[in-house]
C-alpha cells in the first residue's frame, strides 16, 4: 500500500478510509497517542493506537525516533489542536530505536549540542523547518532568474585561476603530501600534478560567468564556493553556496535594482510558501530574544521583519556619505568601535556595517562607490579616479549579504590596474579576451545563500542553516 504524506493527510478536506502513513515517532503518550512526523511538514499527525488489541511487544517498540508504518482511517480528531488524526488499525515497526540512547530527546537542546549531532538535528522541529525553508529559497532563486530569461551556468569548482583575491584558496592536488616532486628551484613541481598546474577550489564563479554574460546576455550561477580564511565567526563558512548573476549592458544602478528586486522576490516566496515553518521559527526567535538583554533584542518579530524588507526600499548610500555618518556617530566618538573611523579610505568592518543598518538607517542599506584600493581589480573605475562602481548590500543582523559591482570593461584601464596590483595578465588571458572582442558595460553580484537563509529563518549562526557546516577545525560528517 502506497503511503500518504502527513502534510497531505493534515490538509485533507474529508475523512478517509484505509490510509497508510510512514514516519518517525516524535512522542508516544499514554501507550496510545503517537505524534508522527515524516518531514513533509513541521506538524505531526496524531495516531491513536488501539492499545487493548495491540500486542504488548509491539507497544514497547513504539519509542521516540523509531520508524513506523501505520494503517487505518483518517478521522476527525476529538482532541484539541488538530482537525484529523489516524485511528490506527495496524502498526508495523519499520526500524526500532533505543529511545534512551537517542541523542535528541523531546526537550530543548542547545544549538551547540545539536551541531555536534548534525546528522540527527534535522529530526527536530527547528532544523526540519530551516532545511525546508532553505530548499524553498533555492527553488525561488531559480524561479526568479528563469522567469526573467537568465541562463543558469555551472561554473567550474576546480579552478586554475587564483586572481580574484576574494579569499584564501584550498589547494586541489593528487601529489603526495610527503615527498612531493620538486622542480629545479626546489618548489613543488605542479607540472607533475593531475592538471599539470596548480589548482584550487573556486572562491567565486564570477570571472568565468562574465565570459558567458558576454554571449548569453543574462546568466547566473548557483553553486558551492570555498574560502580557506581562518575566520571563525557566526557569518563565515569555509564551504558556502553563492548565487552570482552577471548581466551584459547593466550599469551599477541596474545592478542594484536587480539585487533588490531579487532579494524581495525570494523572501516573499518563502513567506508565501513556508507559512508553518516560519511561524514556528518566529516563535523560536521570540523565545531566544527573551533571554537577551533588552538593548540587544530585535524590535520586530520574524515575519514582520521579512514583511518590512519586502515592502520598503533599500536605502542607497555612497561610501563617502557612510564614512561621514560613521565618523560623527556616538560609538565612534566614544571609541566604542574596535576600529575607529578617522579617514576616508578606511575599510568598513562588520561593526560599522551593522551600525549603519541597525542603528542609523534601520533598514537594508546598499553602499556604493567604494575606494578603489579596498576593492577587487575588476571593478569599474569612476571618473574621480579614486572610487570604483562597487556595491555591498547590508542587512540587519547579518551585515554584508551581497557584494557586487559594475565591471571594468575598458581593456587599457583593466590591464593598467592588473599591472599595478601584480596580477598576471598571462594567467587571465581568457578574461582579458572579453575586453578584446566586443567588450561592453556589464555588472553582477554575489549573494551568500546561507546569509540569506540566516535572515529568513531568524537564526543567528551560519552553522545552523547549512546541513553539515565546514569551518576551521571542523569537517565532521
Ligand atoms: O563579496 P564577495 O567576496 O564577492 C564575490 O565573491 C564576487 N565575486 C561576487 C560577484 O560580484 N559575482 O562574496 C559575495 C557574498 C558576500 O556578500 C557574502 O554574502 C557571501 O558571499 N560570503 C560568504 N558567506 C559565507 N561564508 C563566507 N566565508 C563568505 N564569504 C562571502
Ligand atoms: Mg564582499
Amino acid at each position: 500500500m502506497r503511503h500518504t504524506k502527513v502534510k497531505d493527510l493534515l490538509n485533507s478536506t474529508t475523512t478517509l478510509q484505509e490510509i497508510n502513513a510512514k514516519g518517525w515517532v516524535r512522542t508516544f503518550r499514554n501507550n496510545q497517542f503517537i505524534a508522527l512526523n515524516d518531514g513533509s511538514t513541521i506538524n505531526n499527525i496524531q495516531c491513536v493506537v488501539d492499545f487493548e488489541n495491540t500486542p504488548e511487544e509491539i507497544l514497547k517498540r513504539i519509542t521516540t525516533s523509531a520508524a513506523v508504518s501505520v494503517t487505518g482511517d483518517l478521522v476527525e480528531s476529538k482532541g484539541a489542536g488538530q482537525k484529523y488524526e489516524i485511528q490506527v488499525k495496524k502498526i508495523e515497526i519499520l526500524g526500532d530505536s533505543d529511545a534512551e540512547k537517542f541523542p535528541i530527546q523531546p526537550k530543548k537542546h542547545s544549538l551547540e549540542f545539536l551541531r555536534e549531532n548534525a546528522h540527527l538535528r534535522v529530526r527536530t522541529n527547528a532544523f526540519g523547518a530551516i532545511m525546508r525553508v532553505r530548499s524553498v529559497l533555492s527553488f525561488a532563486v531559480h524561479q526568479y532568474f528563469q522567469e526573467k530569461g537568465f541562463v543558469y551556468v555551472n561554473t567550474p569548482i576546480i579552478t586554475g585561476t587564483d586572481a580574484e583575491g576574494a579569499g584564501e584558496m584550498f589547494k586541489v592536488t593528487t601529489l603526495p603530501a610527503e615527498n612531493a616532486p620538486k622542480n629545479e628551484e626546489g618548489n613543488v613541481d605542479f607540472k607533475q600534478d593531475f592538471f599539470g598546474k596548480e589548482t584550487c577550489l573556486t572562491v567565486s564563479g564570477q570571472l568565468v560567468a562574465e565570459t558567458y554574460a558576454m554571449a548569453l546576455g543574462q546568466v547566473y550561477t548557483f553553486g558551492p564556493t570555498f574560502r580557506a580564511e581562518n575566520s571563525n565567526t557566526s557569518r563565515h563558512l569555509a564551504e558556502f553556496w553563492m548565487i552570482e548573476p552577471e548581466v551584459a549592458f547593466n550599469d551599477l544602478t541596474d545592478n542594484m535594482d536587480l539585487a533588490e528586486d531579487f532579494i524581495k522576490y525570494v523572501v516573499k516566496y518563502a513567506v508565501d510558501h513556508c507559512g508553518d515553518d516560519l511561524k514556528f521559527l518566529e516563535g523560536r526567535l521570540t523565545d531566544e530574544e527573551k533571554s537577551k538583554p533588552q538593548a540587544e533584542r530585535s524590535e520586530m518579530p520574524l515575519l514582520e521583519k521579512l514583511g518590512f524588507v519586502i515592502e520598503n526600499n533599500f536605502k542607497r548610500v555612497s561610501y563617502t556619505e557612510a564614512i561621514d555618518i560613521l565618523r560623527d556617530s556616538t560609538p565612534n566618538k566614544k571609541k566604542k568601535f574596535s576600529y575607529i573611523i578617522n579617514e576616508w579610505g578606511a575599510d568598513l568592518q562588520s561593526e560599522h556595517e551593522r551600525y549603519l543598518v541597525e542603528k542609523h538607517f534601520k533598514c537594508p542599506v546598499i553602499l556604493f562607490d567604494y575606494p578603489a584600493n579596498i576593492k577587487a581589480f575588476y571593478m569599474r573605475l569612476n571618473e574621480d579616479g579614486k572610487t570604483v562602481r562597487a556595491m555591498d548590500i547590508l542587512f540587519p543582523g547579518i551585515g554584508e549579504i551581497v557584494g557586487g559591482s559594475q565591471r571594468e570593461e575598458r581593456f587599457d584601464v583593466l590591464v593598467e590596474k592588473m599591472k599595478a596590483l601584480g596580477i598576471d595578465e598571462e594567467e587571465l588571458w581568457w578574461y582579458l579576451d572579453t575586453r578584446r572582442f566586443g567588450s561592453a558595460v556589464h555588472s553582477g553580484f554575489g549573494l551568500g545563500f546561507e546569509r540569506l537563509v540566516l535572515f529568513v529563518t531568524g537564526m543567528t549562526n551560519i552553522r545552523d542553516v547549512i546541513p553539515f557546516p565546514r569551518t576551521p577545525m571542523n569537517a565532521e560528517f
Side-chain angles (χ1 to χ4, degrees):
M1 186 178 185
R2 182 87 203 117
H3 69 277
T4 309
K5 281 184 296 184
V6 168
K7 184 180 182 175
D8 296 336
L9 293 172
L10 291 174
N11 286 339
S12 176
T13 47
T14 60
T15 57
L16 298 165
Q17 303 276 300
E18 285 289 301
I19 52 88
N20 172 250
K22 292 188 170 86
W24 293 268
V25 176
R26 282 289 174 84
T27 55
F28 185 40
R29 279 189 301 121
N30 300 349
N31 236 4
Q32 194 177 11
F33 302 107
I34 302 173
L36 187 75
N37 190 282
D38 70 353
S40 60
T41 157
I42 192 157
N43 302 308
N44 304 324
I45 194 158
Q46 172 155 291
C47 309
V48 185
V49 180
D50 177 4
F51 63 97
E52 279 166 357
N53 295 308
T54 307
E56 187 59 32
E57 312 90 78
I58 296 284
L59 289 174
K60 258 195 260 162
R61 292 168 64 198
I62 306 174
T63 56
T64 292
S65 68
V68 300
S69 168
V70 296
T71 307
D73 299 334
L74 188 73
V75 300
E76 268 167 33
S77 176
K78 291 180 207 92
Q82 68 257 328
K83 189 162 164 222
Y84 292 117
E85 63 188 20
I86 301 174
Q87 198 70 57
V88 179
K89 290 182 182 158
K90 190 178 149 220
I91 178 156
E92 197 186 333
I93 312 292
L94 301 174
D96 286 289
S97 178
D98 183 342
E100 271 162 35
K101 292 205 179 116
F102 184 59
I104 315 287
Q105 294 293 320
K107 64 161 198 175
K108 200 168 157 56
H109 289 290
S110 73
L111 292 168
E112 290 77 11
F113 171 83
L114 292 171
R115 255 168 245 149
E116 285 161 17
N117 290 282
H119 60 309
L120 295 173
R121 67 178 178 174
V122 70
R123 295 203 200 178
T124 63
N125 281 333
F127 282 88
I130 294 163
M131 295 308 157
R132 276 186 298 269
V133 171
R134 182 182 166 110
S135 164
V136 167
L137 277 170
S138 71
F139 179 77
V141 166
H142 285 292
Q143 176 139 307
Y144 177 83
F145 288 119
Q146 295 288 334
E147 273 176 3
K148 289 198 147 19
F150 281 62
V151 178
Y152 178 37
V153 183
N154 300 117
T155 51
I157 288 168
I158 298 174
T159 173
T161 309
D162 178 17
E164 182 168 354
E168 289 297 313
M169 304 180 90
F170 288 101
K171 300 263 181 303
V172 175
T173 180
T174 53
L175 293 177
E178 277 170 47
N179 302 323
K182 300 277 161 64
N183 58 22
E184 279 166 12
E185 289 97 59
N187 300 322
V188 174
D189 186 10
F190 287 103
K191 287 208 176 71
Q192 295 185 47
D193 202 349
F194 189 90
F195 296 106
K197 65 182 291 195
E198 215 177 333
T199 49
C200 293
L201 294 178
T202 186
V203 292
S204 158
Q206 179 198 324
L207 301 193
V208 270
E210 281 186 54
T211 68
Y212 264 55
M214 285 296 126
L216 298 171
Q218 302 170 295
V219 303
Y220 71 106
T221 74
F222 186 179
T225 312
F226 306 87
R227 296 194 186 175
E229 289 149 289
N230 207 348
S231 33
N232 230 326
T233 78
S234 58
R235 307 280 178 268
H236 289 87
L237 290 164
E239 177 182 288
F240 64 100
W241 286 64
M242 185 152 59
I243 296 135
E244 294 183 279
E246 193 68 37
V247 186
F249 318 117
N250 263 14
D251 65 13
L252 189 69
T253 306
D254 302 324
N255 203 34
M256 294 195 262
D257 291 345
L258 177 69
E260 184 170 341
D261 188 55
F262 164 59
I263 293 175
K264 287 177 172 167
Y265 178 95
V266 294
V267 173
K268 181 163 190 321
Y269 193 92
V271 169
D272 290 346
H273 292 83
C274 303
D276 287 351
D277 288 326
L278 290 177
K279 229 177 284 156
F280 175 85
L281 291 167
E282 172 168 280
R284 194 209 71 85
L285 182 62
T286 307
D287 281 350
E288 193 184 81
E289 294 283 318
K290 280 185 198 142
S291 66
K292 286 188 194 165
Q294 192 79 37
E296 286 168 35
R297 285 183 201 167
S298 157
E299 286 150 33
M300 286 184 203
L302 182 61
L303 284 159
E304 199 180 321
K305 201 171 69 174
L306 301 182
F308 182 86
V309 163
I310 296 164
E311 276 148 34
N312 290 282
N313 290 335
F314 297 3
K315 180 83 187 160
R316 300 184 186 190
V317 188
S318 75
Y319 167 90
T320 303
E321 288 170 75
I323 284 290
D324 288 343
I325 293 166
L326 288 167
R327 211 169 12 202
D328 293 340
S329 70
T330 313
N332 203 56
K333 287 185 182 152
K334 291 196 169 162
K335 306 220 182 315
K336 287 271 163 63
F337 285 142
S338 305
Y339 295 86
I340 302 301
I341 300 283
N342 291 316
E343 283 172 48
W344 191 93
D347 203 354
L348 300 184
Q349 307 297 323
S350 78
E351 56 181 346
H352 308 126
E353 297 176 340
R354 293 184 64 171
Y355 173 84
L356 290 170
V357 173
E358 290 160 24
K359 300 276 185 279
H360 189 83
F361 290 111
K362 297 186 167 41
C363 73
V365 172
I366 312 184
L367 287 188
F368 62 92
D369 284 353
Y370 281 74
N373 58 3
I374 58 170
K375 287 289 181 187
F377 78 95
Y378 50 70
M379 296 186 180
R380 176 69 156 76
L381 190 65
N382 276 313
E383 308 315 318
D384 63 12
K386 58 175 196 173
T387 59
V388 285
R389 306 242 76 193
M391 64 123 180
D392 277 4
I393 303 186
L394 315 177
F395 257 49
I398 308 286
E400 180 189 334
I401 193 165
V402 161
S405 67
Q406 183 176 322
R407 318 306 188 188
E408 183 55 78
E409 83 285 9
R410 299 163 297 182
F411 180 84
D412 296 341
V413 181
L414 187 59
V415 168
E416 206 175 302
K417 185 76 168 284
M418 288 168 68
K419 279 207 182 96
L421 293 173
I423 295 169
D424 191 355
E425 279 168 62
E426 268 164 44
E427 196 193 321
L428 282 184
W429 63 275
W430 52 271
Y431 185 68
L432 287 169
D433 267 2
T434 57
R435 276 64 171 175
R436 282 191 187 99
F437 306 115
S439 189
V441 165
H442 64 288
S443 299
F445 61 85
L447 173 117
F449 186 56
E450 285 72 21
R451 294 197 185 171
L452 174 73
V453 182
L454 264 185
F455 179 73
V456 173
T457 57
M459 299 300 289
T460 42
N461 192 315
I462 201 162
R463 293 168 179 81
D464 297 329
V465 297
I466 187 164
F468 297 99
R470 300 294 178 239
T471 51
M473 304 309 289
N474 173 36
E476 194 63 52
F477 309 102

